[in-house]
Amino acid sequence: MAKAKVLKNIAIIKNNMQQMIQEILKIISKEEIEKIAREVGFIQRQGKIQAWEFLYLCAFSGLDISKNTLVAMSANLNSEINTEVTTQAIHERLNHKAVAFLQEIFTRLLNRIALSDSKIETAWDKHFDRIRIVDSTAFQVPEMYKEEYKGSGGSAQTAGIKIHLEYDLKTGKFMHVDVGPGKENDNTFGSKINETFKERDLALRDLGYFSLKDFKALDDKGASYVSRLKPNVAVYLENDDLEYYKNGQIKKSTMYKRINLADIAMKMDAGEILELKEVFLGRIEKRKERLVIYKLTDEQLKERKSKVEKTAKKKGIKKSENTIKLLGITMYITNIDSSILPNDQIYEIYSLRWQIEILFKTWKSIFTISKVKPVKIDRFKCQLYGKLILLILSSAIMFKMRNELLNTEQLEASEIKSAEIIKQYIQKVYLGLINTHLKACTILVEIYVCIKRNGRKSHRKGKKTFFDILGVSYHYQEKVCRFAA
């Protein structure tokens, strides 16, 4: 009976993987890649290296185009896909047309891969259709790129890359990816994507994207948001003690009274939660918000102070006296009513934002997107966009596997473990897509089996996982482990 169930599940997995392959083949097939290469002018006539071979080299060979030598690239093409190309031919191909080709592949993957069946069911579905998380990751690049990729300044190097990412937590779909210089302001990107919000969307953003104007735009569209409150934002209550002019008009300066958040923090007990249902934010805007204040425990405060001091030292900045006074509390604002999102759940919902940090961790530690050596700018860009193509495809596979494991076995997959497994198979997946679609399907099933065996989420006692917070129904066994990956 058990064997029959396993065979039935594998049959279901094979069918679902074949559907995924059909989606990916809309962009990554030998014919489509060639077509895109000709459209952007990368391929004009039959050369020594075909478009699909060049994409393999930059994205799926396991090499870093800026780090590995041309000799290593030539040897890899020969040993792995039986293509003989000289180092000179590869060098000549790493040009601005190659960059345009890779950028177009990246853009099409980002916009067209839609795995409609990868949406997980959660306890929040009755309130939110999408949970949209936005954040950015940055890394330094050689100073020779500073004209195009200016760094953030301060104690950092003069050249850097910043990548903004927004994705839907429920489907895993990358909604927006923006690559730019390290100096780029987070807030600008946040405002740029506001037009794409719909009713029943939930936005989770960190302080870098804090904007009262943006919150109003989301509110106007019927979207919801949860955000931390910046400590330097003025908070007011309506004033009962109004003053009037002789003509009977209210003096606007007396309509609101500013509250001292530091004084409120002093009166709260460690671990206490306080809600102020109707506060008004900003000296000018006076936007009405629901404010929830968490008083940190002594252990949490110690950890935060250490982190703040370390960051300030690294960036060469000095925290204001007001910021230091407010270190002991965390403040959240939201337009979601307390009947839907109670006070004691706001922290958990906002903590889902850390899922994007896990993605960034895989980008840097597993796929090594931030490891760059000084080479000509076009060669560096080939590496950058090759890595982004790799990340988009790997992430699509990762989220697909997460959902298949949930739907067939009611188990939770670890993002980090899954990424490690997928990296080992991704070259085979790509070559399978290029050569034999059935082979690609078989490889995806192998990935699923490997993740089922070795890629399940470890659970730490007392710590909720992503599935726990969203109320996803699944099974797990407590294991003796030191972390939740």
Side-chain angles (χ1 to χ4, degrees):
M1 194 74 178
K3 185 177 180 180
K5 182 180 178 182
V6 170
L7 292 174
K8 181 181 178 181
N9 285 346
I10 291 296
I12 293 171
I13 296 299
K14 282 184 178 179
N15 180 65
N16 292 343
M17 294 306 167
Q18 191 60 50
Q19 292 175 11
M20 180 184 191
I21 286 171
Q22 293 306 315
E23 284 292 321
I24 297 173
L25 285 173
K26 293 176 182 178
I27 300 97
I28 298 183
S29 68
K30 193 176 289 187
E31 298 74 23
E32 191 64 26
I33 292 169
E34 180 74 17
K35 179 182 175 183
I36 295 170
R38 292 188 179 278
E39 286 177 0
V40 301
F42 176 59
I43 297 291
Q44 296 177 334
R45 59 183 181 276
Q46 191 63 41
K48 295 179 180 179
I49 182 169
Q50 296 182 53
W52 75 266
E53 294 170 333
F54 185 80
L55 177 58
Y56 160 82
L57 180 65
C58 294
F60 302 104
S61 65
L63 299 177
D64 285 332
I65 300 304
S66 76
K67 287 175 58 184
N68 291 103
T69 65
L70 295 171
V71 172
M73 296 179 208
S74 176
N76 184 283
L77 287 170
N78 197 350
S79 66
E80 298 297 331
I81 60 175
N82 200 28
T83 297
E84 295 185 7
V85 184
T86 65
T87 56
Q88 182 63 27
I90 296 173
H91 174 73
E92 291 172 356
R93 273 299 184 193
L94 294 167
N95 56 35
H96 68 282
K97 289 184 178 179
V99 176
F101 164 62
L102 294 171
Q103 286 177 325
E104 185 62 22
I105 296 285
F106 161 70
T107 301
R108 294 193 188 196
L109 275 175
L110 180 64
N111 295 332
R112 296 188 185 179
I113 286 190
L115 305 176
S116 58
D117 62 338
S118 67
K119 185 176 181 179
I120 63 173
E121 295 183 1
T122 79
W124 294 92
D125 289 352
K126 58 185 176 182
H127 303 297
F128 310 120
D129 293 330
R130 297 185 293 186
I131 300 178
R132 300 174 56 166
I133 306 178
V134 62
D135 207 344
S136 66
T137 187
F139 54 91
Q140 296 174 348
V141 295
E143 191 173 350
M144 62 189 293
Y145 306 141
K146 66 180 180 181
E147 291 301 318
E148 187 161 356
Y149 297 109
K150 189 173 182 180
S152 57
S155 62
Q157 288 188 2
T158 54
I161 298 281
K162 179 175 280 190
I163 303 176
H164 296 277
L165 168 66
E166 184 190 36
Y167 85 105
D168 176 18
L169 188 64
K170 293 170 70 175
T171 63
K173 177 175 173 52
F174 285 11
M175 305 183 72
H176 299 94
V177 180
D178 186 75
V179 183
K183 68 170 186 176
E184 190 173 275
N185 189 285
D186 288 351
N187 197 262
T188 303
F189 177 77
S191 299
K192 188 164 62 176
I193 62 177
N194 283 342
E195 286 301 314
T196 65
F197 273 81
K198 299 178 180 179
E199 190 175 356
R200 289 176 55 85
D201 280 351
L202 170 61
L204 302 177
R205 301 181 177 185
D206 81 343
L207 287 177
Y209 300 88
F210 186 94
S211 167
L212 295 176
K213 183 179 179 182
D214 287 353
F215 295 143
K216 182 182 184 305
L218 297 182
D219 208 18
D220 290 343
K221 286 179 171 290
S224 303
Y225 56 84
V226 179
S227 171
R228 285 179 61 190
L229 176 67
K230 280 189 171 182
N232 61 347
V233 174
V235 181
Y236 298 85
L237 295 175
E238 284 186 317
N239 190 5
D240 295 329
D241 191 14
L242 298 174
E243 296 181 18
Y244 299 83
Y245 291 106
K246 291 181 179 178
N247 62 4
Q249 291 186 337
I250 299 173
K251 291 184 179 181
K252 289 186 178 181
S253 60
T254 68
M255 291 178 65
Y256 304 94
K257 59 181 179 180
R258 185 171 181 177
I259 60 176
N260 190 317
L261 294 172
D263 288 346
I264 292 176
M266 288 285 290
K267 297 174 183 177
M268 294 177 66
D269 296 327
E272 184 182 348
I273 303 173
L274 176 66
E275 177 182 4
L276 300 175
K277 288 188 176 181
E278 293 188 357
V279 299
F280 298 83
L281 305 182
R283 291 182 176 85
I284 299 174
E285 294 94 336
K286 298 295 191 297
R287 173 165 176 76
K288 187 195 293 188
E289 297 283 358
R290 174 187 170 201
L291 173 65
V292 177
I293 304 173
Y294 283 70
K295 181 69 176 285
L296 272 60
T297 63
D298 293 340
E299 185 178 345
Q300 290 171 332
L301 179 58
K302 183 180 179 181
E303 184 179 341
R304 175 175 288 184
K305 283 182 176 179
S306 176
K307 187 179 294 185
V308 167
E309 289 170 1
K310 185 177 179 180
T311 303
K313 185 177 180 180
K314 181 180 178 181
K315 294 184 176 181
I317 58 177
K318 186 177 181 180
K319 292 292 183 180
S320 69
E321 186 179 342
N322 184 58
T323 299
I324 293 173
K325 286 181 178 179
L326 297 177
L327 282 180
I329 58 174
T330 300
M331 301 171 288
Y332 298 96
I333 60 168
T334 180
N335 63 341
I336 306 172
D337 191 84
S338 58
S339 62
I340 297 173
L341 183 61
N343 294 341
D344 58 359
Q345 291 185 17
I346 287 183
Y347 169 77
E348 285 188 351
I349 286 294
Y350 186 77
S351 71
L352 291 171
R353 196 186 61 78
W354 283 101
Q355 291 298 119
I356 204 169
E357 298 290 349
I358 294 175
L359 274 181
F360 289 152
K361 182 178 180 180
T362 67
W363 286 18
K364 291 182 176 180
S365 64
I366 298 174
F367 294 101
T368 63
I369 192 172
S370 58
K371 293 184 178 179
V372 183
K373 284 191 174 181
V375 290
K376 67 177 184 177
I377 187 71
D378 289 334
R379 181 170 168 179
F380 161 67
K381 288 183 178 180
C382 284
Q383 165 163 319
L384 177 63
Y385 284 96
K387 290 283 188 181
L388 288 171
I389 291 166
L390 170 66
L391 290 169
I392 288 180
L393 183 58
S394 298
S395 295
I397 294 172
M398 180 179 73
F399 287 115
K400 178 69 173 177
M401 296 302 167
R402 177 195 70 179
N403 282 44
E404 293 300 328
L405 193 64
L406 173 65
N407 293 335
T408 58
E409 304 289 345
Q410 289 74 54
L411 298 173
E412 183 176 15
S414 160
E415 296 85 354
I416 294 176
K417 293 176 185 177
S418 297
E420 289 179 322
I421 292 168
I422 290 166
K423 184 187 178 184
Q424 302 305 316
Y425 281 91
I426 196 67
Q427 182 186 112
K428 290 182 178 180
V429 172
Y430 176 74
L431 294 177
L433 291 166
I434 293 297
N435 297 313
T436 309
H437 305 162
L438 290 176
K439 180 66 174 176
C441 182
T442 300
I443 295 166
L444 288 177
V445 173
E446 288 179 14
I447 294 174
Y448 169 81
V449 172
C450 191
I451 290 176
K452 177 184 172 182
R453 185 185 302 119
N454 299 314
R456 289 158 56 181
K457 177 84 77 174
S458 301
H459 292 77
R460 187 170 68 187
K461 189 175 181 180
K463 181 176 180 179
K464 290 187 176 181
T465 68
F466 153 58
F467 278 10
D468 295 328
I469 293 171
L470 286 183
V472 178
S473 177
Y474 74 107
H475 303 310
Y476 73 90
Q477 293 179 340
E478 288 287 355
K479 295 183 178 181
V480 178
C481 56
R482 296 183 179 276
F483 62 92

